[in-house]
Amino acid sequence: MTDTSVRIDGNRLSLPGGAAVRFIRTLRLPETGTHPLPPGLGEFPVRRVSDYADTVPEEWRARGGVMLPVYLREAMWLSFAGTREPAALQVGVGKVCAVSGRPWSDRLSRDPQNYVVLPRQPWLDGINSGTGTVRQFVAVPLGMGATVEGQVTGEEVWGGVQLQAFALGATELARWRKEERRRTEPARGAARSGGAFGAAAPAPAAAPAAPGAAPGYGGAPRPRSAPAMGLGVGGSMRQEVYRDQRPLTDWAERPAGRVFVHLVTPPEWRRITGEAPPPSPVDRAAYTRAGLPWYDYYDQDAHDLAAAEPLQDVKPVGDWIGDDHEPWQAPTPHQVHPLKDASGKPVQDGDW
């Protein structure tokens, strides 16, 4: 019998089929210009919703999944290191696909592609903006219209992050495993840091009126129904979202597993879990002045996806809650480092 349970190993989500996802704290980029990849500053702590059934909102109990604490305007990226076998992973932000900009779906699509391919895609820092760039994931409250969900659909109902993994079909998976056994040379290359937070290694303004909903979503704007956070966008960075080189028929028709990731403000995190939230985000100017690394990643054998049309008009968080006054100091060339050329309790799924 196939195990469809999502499990937490430390702070890593292990999805059925071998896909692994960690949520990494990082420096928030300026909202103008295009920048190198920011560093990993440690993992967000992740907890199961079902372990706090008496203190989470009722709607969260119904949706199940996990939760993590995030500060207003804090940035994050998703790391897929540790993925054991090929997987097609759908990433939703408020049930809007971060790759295609289309509504959440229980099926894989190629036109446009609505998933990333693991382990080829090592990480995802934001929504697909095409031409070798993404726009950084940045946390904002629901109810303002600043989230990707609010701007694309005209509603802010879901918030959070949604993950859904598809494994290879039985025939292709057997073929891949056979080929993998023949490999004798281990993978080489540097790794982008996702290490311990702070390690040396690697008054909001009034919001503008909400834009109209994009065609194909419909619905008048609705307020949030539970205290929660969602993801808007920040600055642009050089990162490709890779086109799948396999035919769609190589993948299973049904997802192997899925999980809803709730984003919680630090005060709510303390109230729900009784735990102290992580320290506030690192000052990016101080980080750069200290000579610590930024990153650049390039894979000459992969092909970037085109820009996702529904995501092209998403405005940055600063347009909604005021300018970013945190100082920006560009890294020097020597600070930009080139990269490349288990068990646990199951997470309860719910109705979403």
Side-chain angles (χ1 to χ4, degrees):
M1 183 174 179
T2 303
D3 183 6
T4 60
S5 299
V6 177
R7 298 179 182 273
I8 299 179
D9 299 327
N11 293 318
R12 182 178 67 182
L13 292 179
S14 296
L15 283 78
V21 182
R22 293 181 300 143
F23 295 86
I24 308 297
R25 306 185 78 190
T26 191
L27 301 177
R28 188 174 75 251
L29 298 175
E31 293 178 354
T32 56
T34 300
H35 306 277
L37 300 179
L41 299 175
E43 302 171 351
F44 286 93
V46 178
R47 303 289 181 265
R48 298 190 311 163
V49 167
S50 60
D51 288 339
Y52 302 91
D54 293 338
T55 50
V56 297
E58 182 178 350
E59 291 184 6
W60 296 11
R61 293 198 300 270
R63 294 172 187 173
V66 300
M67 57 186 172
L68 61 85
V70 64
Y71 286 83
L72 172 67
R73 294 183 86 158
E74 184 170 12
M76 69 166 61
W77 51 277
L78 277 59
S79 168
F80 308 129
T83 296
R84 300 191 306 272
E85 295 185 333
L89 182 71
Q90 293 176 323
V91 179
V93 286
K95 295 186 72 172
V96 173
C97 178
V99 177
S100 70
R102 302 295 178 88
W104 185 256
S105 172
D106 288 332
R107 291 284 191 272
L108 297 180
S109 169
R110 184 58 61 80
D111 187 20
Q113 184 174 312
N114 66 350
Y115 58 95
V116 293
V117 182
L118 310 187
R120 165 50 68 81
Q121 188 82 36
W123 42 64
L124 185 67
D125 288 61
I127 64 171
N128 172 31
S129 48
T131 61
T133 65
V134 301
R135 297 176 67 193
Q136 190 174 41
F137 292 134
V138 176
V140 284
L142 301 190
M144 301 176 64
T147 62
V148 175
E149 176 187 7
Q151 295 189 60
V152 172
T153 74
E155 300 180 330
E156 288 188 323
V157 177
W158 301 101
V161 178
Q162 298 76 41
L163 303 172
Q164 187 163 254
F166 291 73
L168 287 173
T171 300
E172 286 304 314
L173 182 58
R175 180 180 293 119
W176 180 87
R177 286 172 174 170
K178 183 177 180 180
E179 292 174 355
E180 195 68 8
R181 286 193 293 269
R182 292 176 178 170
R183 293 178 56 175
T184 58
E185 189 159 332
R188 293 191 177 99
R192 184 179 177 192
S193 172
F197 177 71
Y217 286 87
R222 286 159 47 187
R224 60 180 176 151
S225 51
M229 301 278 278
L231 291 179
V233 301
S236 176
M237 74 187 77
R238 293 185 288 275
Q239 181 177 110
E240 295 176 321
V241 181
Y242 296 131
R243 184 181 302 119
D244 189 5
Q245 300 301 307
R246 295 178 176 274
L248 199 60
T249 52
D250 279 8
W251 300 104
E253 292 187 3
R254 302 297 302 172
R258 67 177 196 163
V259 62
F260 196 110
V261 183
H262 303 266
L263 305 181
V264 186
T265 64
E268 280 291 292
W269 177 262
R270 184 186 293 274
R271 183 192 66 79
I272 291 171
T273 67
E275 300 178 28
S280 59
V282 164
D283 177 270
R284 68 188 180 210
Y287 179 95
T288 302
R289 283 197 303 270
L292 298 174
W294 295 69
Y295 299 93
D296 199 8
Y297 183 89
Y298 176 68
D299 187 340
Q300 64 180 0
D301 298 323
H303 301 279
D304 187 31
L305 290 176
E309 184 175 351
L311 301 178
Q312 289 180 334
D313 294 329
V314 173
K315 296 178 174 62
V317 167
D319 284 11
W320 298 83
I321 60 177
D323 291 337
D324 181 1
H325 297 298
E326 186 177 342
W328 166 242
Q329 179 173 334
T332 60
H334 77 271
Q335 284 180 266
V336 181
H337 294 207
L339 299 177
K340 195 185 185 318
D341 230 52
S343 63
K345 291 183 178 180
V347 173
Q348 179 181 322
D349 192 17
D351 183 12
W352 50 273

